[in-house]
Amino acid sequence: MVEAHLIETIIGIGILLFAAKLMAELFLRLKLPIVLGELLAGMIVGPFALGGFFVVDGKQILQINDEIRILGEMGAIVILFMAGLEMTPKEFLKGGKASFTVGTLGVVVPFFAGLVVFQLFGFDALQSMLIATALTATSIAISIQVLSEFGKIKTPEARLIIGAAVVDDILAIAVLSVVSSIAGADGGIENIDITEIVVTILQVLGFFAIMLIVAVVVIPKIITPRLWKAKGSVEGIATASFFGAAALAGSIGLSPIVGAFAVGMALSTTKVFEKVENYVGKIGLIFAPLFFAIIGAQVDLRAVDLNILMLSGVIIAVAIVTKLFGCGLPAIMFLKSKKKGMRVGIGMISRGE
């Protein structure tokens, strides 16, 4: 039984990775972002599309089981660690005011716009609040992959997108924890305690600040060529550190990817930087496409009808407009350039982690 499950997982990974790379080749030739091809590959070969037709012994060949989902999550952690390596703590702090403003408005504007729009569409307050919450978090992984692919990761706009997206993610998690506790409570919307909300948000931001400081102080002392001389030790310890930080972040109520980002930043100014960057770039070649293909494979196109298409259209329109203006306008002020500011707005549109 265990062996059958293992084989099912291995086959799933093989199919998804092969399909993702095939589509990546096609999208590269079409001069479109490879990430889009990898997402689409997952949707095409997923269990709800082509994957549903290939059945052996009464079971679909491709099934998205828990192990494959976990691998996808690990992919996101690797991508965020790679992003952390691209930004030094000094740069992050220097862009702190801009990142914080753009990131905060990137949560506030979509949330309140979503709340109003979906109540107009006949959803009750709690349903509208849940949809509005889903609209707040930028998908950092997608933005980072596209920026890296086009060689723009070192630009001021990319710096602001990454910093703001991290702030955005942290705030979105705070909002999600508040909204889900309201959904779980009997009192509903009427019993919202503003001080409780503020405390939750400050707590989450405080956790991140402490984590960042500890990472920057402790990690360079642990991961040093002076201590680790055997082949592969530096890379192994770096991997253990960013997965450990991801687990720690997850256990204190943050997103695991934020922990990996903090460790990446802590290593960006150390002697082992080039060694670690070279190595993680290689594992990223497998983990990143898997992450996007697995997300794509979970899209159930069979559930789509006209009603859902119309609602999706509205959600997409609200999602684009609120991030474009919520993040783009403050970015124009900070970067003192309309073109660069709008690029930030566009870079923050991606959702769905």
Side-chain angles (χ1 to χ4, degrees):
M1 184 63 208
V2 173
E3 202 167 74
H5 194 68
L6 174 67
I7 291 166
E8 177 192 295
T9 305
I10 294 167
I11 289 171
I13 292 165
I15 293 171
L16 286 165
L17 198 51
F18 186 71
K21 286 291 112 194
L22 266 183
M23 288 296 276
E25 288 296 323
L26 175 66
F27 274 60
L28 181 71
R29 285 161 177 75
L30 294 172
K31 294 189 169 52
L32 287 167
I34 288 173
V35 175
L36 207 55
E38 291 166 348
L39 272 167
L40 206 57
M43 289 168 77
I44 293 167
V45 301
F48 306 113
L50 283 184
F53 296 111
F54 295 98
V55 179
V56 176
D57 294 338
K59 284 184 85 174
Q60 289 179 0
I61 286 186
L62 179 64
Q63 295 196 35
I64 304 299
N65 58 24
D66 289 344
E67 285 77 7
I68 290 179
R69 280 197 191 91
I70 289 165
L71 257 175
E73 298 291 329
M74 286 167 74
I77 290 168
V78 171
I79 292 168
L80 260 286
F81 174 67
M82 288 160 75
L85 285 172
E86 297 290 344
M87 189 181 268
T88 65
K90 202 181 262 179
E91 282 176 330
F92 188 74
L93 289 174
K94 202 171 116 191
K97 199 164 93 180
S99 297
F100 191 76
T101 310
V102 174
T104 305
L105 287 168
V107 169
V108 172
V109 176
F111 183 79
F112 286 104
L115 201 56
V116 172
V117 170
F118 295 106
Q119 281 183 321
L120 293 175
F121 273 85
F123 288 91
D124 67 37
L126 187 61
Q127 288 171 328
S128 303
M129 204 180 251
L130 287 166
I131 301 173
T133 306
L135 290 175
T136 57
T138 292
S139 166
I140 318 180
I142 287 189
S143 302
I144 286 166
Q145 282 299 98
V146 175
L147 288 165
S148 305
E149 197 184 308
F150 291 121
K152 302 286 184 199
I153 200 95
K154 298 278 187 201
T155 60
E157 303 94 296
R159 290 274 179 264
L160 184 48
I161 289 168
I162 295 170
V166 170
V167 172
D168 192 308
D169 221 48
I170 294 163
L171 291 174
I173 285 160
V175 172
L176 183 65
S177 60
V178 171
V179 171
S180 47
S181 67
I182 293 168
D186 301 325
I189 303 287
E190 295 75 38
N191 293 2
I192 295 175
D193 183 359
I194 298 293
T195 42
E196 202 178 313
I197 294 172
V198 173
V199 167
T200 305
I201 290 171
L202 288 175
Q203 238 172 356
V204 173
L205 283 172
F207 279 151
F208 177 64
I210 292 163
M211 191 157 196
L212 202 57
I213 293 161
V214 171
V216 170
V217 173
V218 175
I219 296 292
K221 287 188 174 65
I222 297 172
I223 305 169
T224 158
R226 209 174 59 244
L227 280 176
W228 310 100
K229 298 201 184 324
K231 191 181 177 193
S233 286
V234 164
E235 294 90 334
I237 298 299
T239 308
S241 300
F242 74 75
F243 276 128
L248 182 66
S251 60
I252 58 176
L254 286 167
S255 168
I257 56 179
V258 171
F261 181 80
V263 173
M265 271 206 312
L267 287 175
S268 64
T269 51
T270 60
K271 290 191 181 86
V272 297
F273 167 73
E274 273 176 32
K275 203 176 198 179
V276 172
E277 187 186 40
N278 190 17
Y279 147 76
V280 86
K282 300 252 188 323
I283 58 168
L285 293 176
I286 293 168
F287 271 113
L290 261 182
F291 168 68
F292 296 114
I294 291 166
I295 285 182
Q298 292 177 64
V299 176
D300 187 353
L301 295 168
R302 299 172 310 180
V304 175
D305 57 24
L306 193 62
N307 201 7
I308 287 178
L309 276 177
M310 280 166 60
L311 189 62
S312 301
V314 174
I315 291 179
I316 290 167
V318 172
I320 290 173
V321 171
T322 52
K323 284 282 185 188
L324 194 56
F325 292 106
C327 300
L329 295 177
I332 289 172
M333 282 163 46
F334 284 109
L335 296 172
K336 297 182 175 51
S337 156
K338 194 175 175 184
K339 199 174 173 185
K340 288 180 179 175
M342 278 297 128
R343 280 181 191 154
V344 172
I346 293 165
M348 295 290 285
I349 289 171
S350 58
R351 304 288 209 290
E353 240 142 285

Coordinates of all heavy atoms in Angstrom, one line a residue, residues 41-103:
A41 N 0.7 24.5 -17.7 CA 1.0 23.0 -17.9 C 0.3 22.2 -16.8 O -0.3 21.2 -17.1 CB 2.5 22.8 -17.7
G42 N 0.3 22.7 -15.5 CA -0.4 22.1 -14.4 C -1.9 22.0 -14.7 O -2.5 20.9 -14.4
M43 N -2.4 23.0 -15.2 CA -3.9 23.0 -15.5 C -4.2 22.0 -16.6 O -5.3 21.4 -16.5 CB -4.3 24.4 -15.9 CG -4.3 25.4 -14.8 SD -4.5 27.1 -15.3 CE -6.3 27.2 -15.6
I44 N -3.4 21.9 -17.6 CA -3.6 21.0 -18.7 C -3.5 19.5 -18.3 O -4.4 18.7 -18.6 CB -2.7 21.3 -19.9 CG1 -3.1 22.7 -20.5 CG2 -2.9 20.3 -21.0 CD1 -2.0 23.3 -21.5
V45 N -2.4 19.2 -17.6 CA -2.2 17.8 -17.3 C -2.8 17.4 -16.0 O -2.7 16.2 -15.5 CB -0.7 17.4 -17.3 CG1 -0.1 17.6 -18.7 CG2 0.1 18.1 -16.2
G46 N -3.4 18.3 -15.2 CA -3.9 18.1 -13.9 C -5.1 17.1 -13.9 O -5.6 16.7 -14.9
P47 N -5.4 16.6 -12.7 CA -6.4 15.5 -12.6 C -7.8 16.0 -13.0 O -8.7 15.1 -13.2 CB -6.4 15.2 -11.1 CG -5.7 16.3 -10.4 CD -4.8 16.9 -11.4
F48 N -8.0 17.3 -13.1 CA -9.4 17.8 -13.5 C -9.4 18.1 -15.0 O -10.4 18.5 -15.5 CB -9.7 19.1 -12.7 CG -9.6 18.9 -11.3 CD1 -8.7 19.6 -10.5 CD2 -10.5 18.0 -10.6 CE1 -8.6 19.4 -9.1 CE2 -10.4 17.8 -9.2 CZ -9.4 18.5 -8.5
A49 N -8.3 17.9 -15.7 CA -8.3 18.1 -17.2 C -7.8 16.8 -17.8 O -8.4 15.7 -17.6 CB -7.4 19.3 -17.5
L50 N -6.7 16.8 -18.6 CA -6.2 15.6 -19.3 C -5.9 14.5 -18.4 O -6.1 13.3 -18.7 CB -4.9 16.0 -20.1 CG -5.1 16.7 -21.4 CD1 -3.7 16.9 -22.1 CD2 -6.1 16.0 -22.3
G51 N -5.4 14.8 -17.2 CA -5.0 13.8 -16.2 C -6.2 12.9 -15.8 O -6.0 11.8 -15.4
G52 N -7.4 13.4 -15.9 CA -8.6 12.7 -15.6 C -8.9 11.5 -16.5 O -9.6 10.6 -16.2
F53 N -8.3 11.6 -17.8 CA -8.6 10.6 -18.8 C -7.7 9.4 -18.7 O -8.0 8.3 -19.3 CB -8.5 11.2 -20.2 CG -9.6 12.3 -20.4 CD1 -9.2 13.6 -20.5 CD2 -10.9 12.0 -20.5 CE1 -10.2 14.6 -20.7 CE2 -11.9 12.9 -20.7 CZ -11.5 14.3 -20.8
F54 N -6.5 9.5 -18.0 CA -5.6 8.4 -18.0 C -5.8 7.6 -16.7 O -5.4 8.1 -15.6 CB -4.1 8.9 -18.1 CG -3.9 9.6 -19.4 CD1 -3.9 11.0 -19.6 CD2 -3.6 8.8 -20.6 CE1 -3.7 11.6 -20.8 CE2 -3.4 9.4 -21.8 CZ -3.4 10.8 -21.9
V55 N -6.5 6.5 -16.8 CA -6.8 5.7 -15.6 C -6.2 4.3 -15.8 O -6.3 3.7 -16.8 CB -8.4 5.6 -15.5 CG1 -8.8 4.8 -14.3 CG2 -9.0 7.0 -15.4
V56 N -5.6 3.9 -14.7 CA -5.0 2.6 -14.6 C -5.5 1.9 -13.3 O -5.5 2.5 -12.3 CB -3.4 2.6 -14.5 CG1 -2.9 1.2 -14.4 CG2 -2.9 3.3 -15.8
D57 N -6.1 0.7 -13.5 CA -6.7 -0.1 -12.4 C -7.7 0.8 -11.6 O -7.8 0.8 -10.4 CB -5.6 -0.5 -11.4 CG -4.7 -1.6 -12.0 OD1 -5.1 -2.2 -12.9 OD2 -3.5 -1.7 -11.5
G58 N -8.5 1.5 -12.4 CA -9.6 2.3 -11.8 C -9.1 3.6 -11.1 O -9.9 4.3 -10.5
K59 N -7.8 3.9 -11.2 CA -7.3 5.1 -10.5 C -6.6 6.0 -11.6 O -6.0 5.6 -12.5 CB -6.2 4.8 -9.5 CG -6.8 4.2 -8.2 CD -5.8 4.0 -7.2 CE -5.4 5.2 -6.4 NZ -4.5 4.9 -5.3
Q60 N -6.8 7.3 -11.4 CA -6.1 8.3 -12.3 C -4.6 8.2 -12.1 O -4.1 8.0 -11.0 CB -6.6 9.7 -12.0 CG -8.0 10.0 -12.4 CD -8.3 11.5 -12.0 OE1 -7.6 12.2 -11.4 NE2 -9.6 11.8 -12.3
I61 N -3.9 8.3 -13.2 CA -2.4 8.2 -13.1 C -1.9 9.4 -12.3 O -1.0 9.3 -11.5 CB -1.8 8.2 -14.5 CG1 -2.0 6.8 -15.2 CG2 -0.3 8.5 -14.5 CD1 -1.3 6.6 -16.5
L62 N -2.4 10.6 -12.6 CA -1.9 11.8 -11.9 C -2.9 12.2 -10.9 O -4.1 12.6 -11.1 CB -1.8 13.0 -12.9 CG -1.3 14.3 -12.3 CD1 0.1 14.2 -11.7 CD2 -1.3 15.4 -13.3
Q63 N -2.5 12.1 -9.6 CA -3.3 12.6 -8.5 C -2.5 13.6 -7.7 O -1.3 13.3 -7.4 CB -3.7 11.4 -7.6 CG -4.6 10.4 -8.4 CD -5.3 9.5 -7.5 OE1 -5.7 9.8 -6.4 NE2 -5.5 8.3 -7.9
I64 N -3.1 14.7 -7.3 CA -2.4 15.6 -6.4 C -2.7 15.2 -5.0 O -3.6 15.6 -4.4 CB -2.9 17.1 -6.7 CG1 -2.8 17.4 -8.2 CG2 -2.2 18.1 -5.9 CD1 -1.4 17.4 -8.8
N65 N -1.8 14.4 -4.5 CA -1.9 14.0 -3.1 C -1.2 14.9 -2.1 O -0.6 15.9 -2.6 CB -1.4 12.5 -2.9 CG 0.0 12.4 -3.3 OD1 0.8 13.3 -3.3 ND2 0.4 11.2 -3.7
D66 N -1.3 14.6 -0.8 CA -0.7 15.5 0.2 C 0.8 15.7 0.0 O 1.3 16.8 0.2 CB -1.0 15.0 1.6 CG -2.5 15.2 1.9 OD1 -3.1 16.0 1.2 OD2 -2.9 14.5 2.9
E67 N 1.5 14.6 -0.4 CA 2.9 14.7 -0.6 C 3.3 15.7 -1.7 O 4.2 16.5 -1.6 CB 3.5 13.3 -0.9 CG 3.6 12.4 0.3 CD 2.2 11.7 0.7 OE1 1.3 11.9 -0.1 OE2 2.2 11.1 1.7
I68 N 2.6 15.6 -2.8 CA 2.8 16.5 -3.9 C 2.6 18.0 -3.5 O 3.3 18.9 -3.8 CB 2.0 16.1 -5.2 CG1 2.6 14.8 -5.7 CG2 2.1 17.2 -6.2 CD1 1.9 14.2 -6.9
R69 N 1.5 18.2 -2.7 CA 1.2 19.5 -2.3 C 2.3 20.1 -1.4 O 2.7 21.2 -1.5 CB -0.1 19.5 -1.5 CG -1.4 19.5 -2.3 CD -2.6 20.0 -1.6 NE -3.8 19.7 -2.4 CZ -4.5 18.6 -2.4 NH1 -4.1 17.6 -1.5 NH2 -5.5 18.4 -3.1
I70 N 2.8 19.2 -0.5 CA 3.9 19.6 0.4 C 5.1 20.0 -0.4 O 5.8 21.0 -0.1 CB 4.2 18.5 1.4 CG1 3.1 18.4 2.4 CG2 5.5 18.8 2.2 CD1 3.1 17.2 3.3
L71 N 5.4 19.2 -1.5 CA 6.6 19.5 -2.3 C 6.4 20.9 -3.0 O 7.3 21.7 -3.1 CB 6.7 18.5 -3.4 CG 7.8 17.5 -3.3 CD1 7.7 16.4 -4.4 CD2 9.1 18.1 -3.3
G72 N 5.1 21.2 -3.3 CA 4.8 22.5 -3.9 C 5.1 23.6 -2.9 O 5.7 24.7 -3.2
E73 N 4.7 23.4 -1.7 CA 4.9 24.4 -0.6 C 6.4 24.6 -0.4 O 6.9 25.7 -0.2 CB 4.3 24.0 0.7 CG 2.8 23.8 0.7 CD 2.1 25.1 0.6 OE1 2.6 26.1 1.1 OE2 1.0 25.1 0.0
M74 N 7.2 23.5 -0.4 CA 8.6 23.6 -0.3 C 9.2 24.4 -1.4 O 10.2 25.2 -1.3 CB 9.2 22.2 -0.3 CG 9.0 21.5 1.1 SD 9.4 19.7 1.0 CE 11.1 19.8 1.0
G75 N 8.6 24.3 -2.6 CA 9.1 25.1 -3.8 C 8.9 26.6 -3.5 O 9.9 27.4 -3.8
A76 N 7.8 27.0 -2.9 CA 7.6 28.4 -2.5 C 8.7 28.9 -1.5 O 9.2 30.0 -1.6 CB 6.2 28.6 -2.0
I77 N 9.0 28.0 -0.6 CA 10.0 28.3 0.4 C 11.4 28.6 -0.3 O 12.1 29.5 0.0 CB 10.1 27.2 1.5 CG1 8.8 27.3 2.3 CG2 11.3 27.4 2.4 CD1 8.6 26.1 3.3
V78 N 11.8 27.7 -1.2 CA 13.0 27.8 -1.9 C 13.1 29.1 -2.7 O 14.1 29.9 -2.7 CB 13.3 26.6 -2.9 CG1 14.5 26.8 -3.8 CG2 13.5 25.3 -2.1
I79 N 11.9 29.4 -3.4 CA 11.9 30.7 -4.2 C 12.1 31.9 -3.4 O 12.8 32.8 -3.7 CB 10.5 30.7 -5.0 CG1 10.4 29.6 -6.0 CG2 10.3 32.1 -5.6 CD1 9.0 29.5 -6.6
L80 N 11.5 31.9 -2.2 CA 11.6 33.1 -1.3 C 13.0 33.2 -0.7 O 13.5 34.3 -0.5 CB 10.5 33.0 -0.2 CG 9.3 33.9 -0.5 CD1 9.6 35.3 -0.3 CD2 8.7 33.7 -1.9
F81 N 13.6 32.1 -0.4 CA 15.0 32.1 0.0 C 15.9 32.7 -1.0 O 16.7 33.6 -0.8 CB 15.5 30.7 0.4 CG 16.9 30.6 0.7 CD1 17.4 31.2 1.9 CD2 17.9 30.0 -0.1 CE1 18.8 31.2 2.2 CE2 19.2 29.9 0.3 CZ 19.7 30.5 1.4
M82 N 15.7 32.3 -2.3 CA 16.4 32.9 -3.4 C 16.2 34.4 -3.5 O 17.1 35.2 -3.8 CB 16.0 32.2 -4.7 CG 16.5 30.8 -4.9 SD 15.5 29.8 -6.1 CE 16.2 30.5 -7.6
A83 N 15.0 34.8 -3.3 CA 14.6 36.3 -3.3 C 15.4 37.0 -2.2 O 15.9 38.1 -2.4 CB 13.1 36.5 -3.2
G84 N 15.4 36.4 -1.0 CA 16.1 37.0 0.1 C 17.6 37.2 -0.1 O 18.1 38.2 0.2
L85 N 18.2 36.3 -0.8 CA 19.6 36.4 -1.2 C 19.9 37.6 -2.1 O 21.0 38.2 -2.1 CB 20.1 35.1 -2.0 CG 20.3 33.9 -1.2 CD1 20.6 32.7 -2.1 CD2 21.5 34.0 -0.2
E86 N 18.8 38.0 -2.8 CA 19.0 39.2 -3.7 C 18.9 40.5 -3.0 O 19.1 41.6 -3.6 CB 17.9 39.1 -4.8 CG 17.9 37.9 -5.7 CD 19.1 37.9 -6.7 OE1 19.7 39.0 -6.9 OE2 19.4 36.9 -7.2
M87 N 18.6 40.5 -1.7 CA 18.4 41.8 -1.1 C 19.1 41.8 0.3 O 18.9 41.0 1.1 CB 16.9 42.0 -0.8 CG 16.5 43.4 -0.3 SD 14.8 43.6 -0.1 CE 14.2 44.2 -1.6
T88 N 20.0 42.8 0.5 CA 20.7 42.9 1.7 C 19.8 43.5 2.8 O 18.9 44.3 2.4 CB 22.0 43.8 1.6 OG1 21.6 45.1 1.3 CG2 22.9 43.2 0.5
P89 N 20.0 43.2 4.1 CA 19.2 43.8 5.1 C 19.2 45.4 5.1 O 18.2 46.0 5.3 CB 19.9 43.4 6.4 CG 20.6 42.1 6.0 CD 21.0 42.3 4.6
K90 N 20.4 45.9 4.7 CA 20.5 47.4 4.6 C 19.6 47.9 3.5 O 18.9 48.9 3.7 CB 22.0 47.7 4.2 CG 22.4 49.2 4.6 CD 23.8 49.5 4.2 CE 24.8 49.3 5.3 NZ 26.2 49.6 5.0
E91 N 19.5 47.3 2.4 CA 18.6 47.7 1.3 C 17.2 47.6 1.7 O 16.4 48.4 1.4 CB 18.8 46.8 0.1 CG 20.1 47.1 -0.8 CD 20.2 46.1 -1.9 OE1 19.8 44.9 -1.8 OE2 20.8 46.5 -2.9
F92 N 16.9 46.5 2.5 CA 15.5 46.3 2.9 C 15.1 47.4 3.9 O 14.0 47.9 3.8 CB 15.4 44.9 3.6 CG 14.0 44.5 3.9 CD1 13.1 44.1 2.9 CD2 13.5 44.6 5.3 CE1 11.8 43.7 3.2 CE2 12.2 44.2 5.6 CZ 11.3 43.8 4.6
L93 N 16.0 47.8 4.8 CA 15.7 48.8 5.8 C 15.6 50.2 5.1 O 14.8 51.0 5.4 CB 16.7 48.9 6.9 CG 16.6 47.7 7.9 CD1 17.8 47.7 8.8 CD2 15.3 47.7 8.6
K94 N 16.5 50.4 4.1 CA 16.5 51.7 3.4 C 15.2 51.9 2.6 O 14.7 53.0 2.6 CB 17.7 51.7 2.4 CG 18.1 53.1 2.0 CD 19.4 53.0 1.1 CE 19.1 53.5 -0.3 NZ 20.2 53.3 -1.2
G95 N 14.7 50.8 2.1 CA 13.4 51.0 1.4 C 12.2 50.7 2.3 O 11.1 50.5 1.8
G96 N 12.5 50.7 3.6 CA 11.5 50.3 4.6 C 10.2 51.2 4.5 O 9.1 50.6 4.5
K97 N 10.4 52.5 4.5 CA 9.3 53.4 4.5 C 8.4 53.2 3.2 O 7.2 53.0 3.3 CB 9.8 54.8 4.5 CG 8.7 55.8 5.0 CD 9.3 57.2 5.4 CE 9.2 58.1 4.2 NZ 9.8 59.4 4.5
A98 N 9.1 53.1 2.1 CA 8.4 52.9 0.8 C 7.7 51.5 0.8 O 6.5 51.4 0.5 CB 9.3 53.0 -0.4
S99 N 8.4 50.5 1.2 CA 7.9 49.1 1.2 C 6.7 49.0 2.1 O 5.7 48.4 1.8 CB 8.9 48.1 1.7 OG 10.0 48.1 0.8
F100 N 6.8 49.7 3.3 CA 5.7 49.6 4.3 C 4.5 50.3 3.8 O 3.4 49.8 3.9 CB 6.2 50.2 5.6 CG 5.3 49.9 6.8 CD1 5.2 48.6 7.3 CD2 4.4 50.8 7.2 CE1 4.3 48.3 8.4 CE2 3.5 50.6 8.2 CZ 3.4 49.3 8.8
T101 N 4.7 51.5 3.2 CA 3.5 52.3 2.7 C 2.9 51.5 1.5 O 1.6 51.3 1.5 CB 4.0 53.7 2.2 OG1 4.8 54.2 3.2 CG2 2.8 54.5 1.9
V102 N 3.7 51.1 0.6 CA 3.1 50.4 -0.6 C 2.4 49.1 -0.2 O 1.3 48.8 -0.6 CB 4.2 50.2 -1.7 CG1 3.7 49.3 -2.9 CG2 4.7 51.5 -2.2
G103 N 3.1 48.3 0.7 CA 2.6 47.1 1.1 C 1.3 47.2 1.9 O 0.4 46.4 1.7

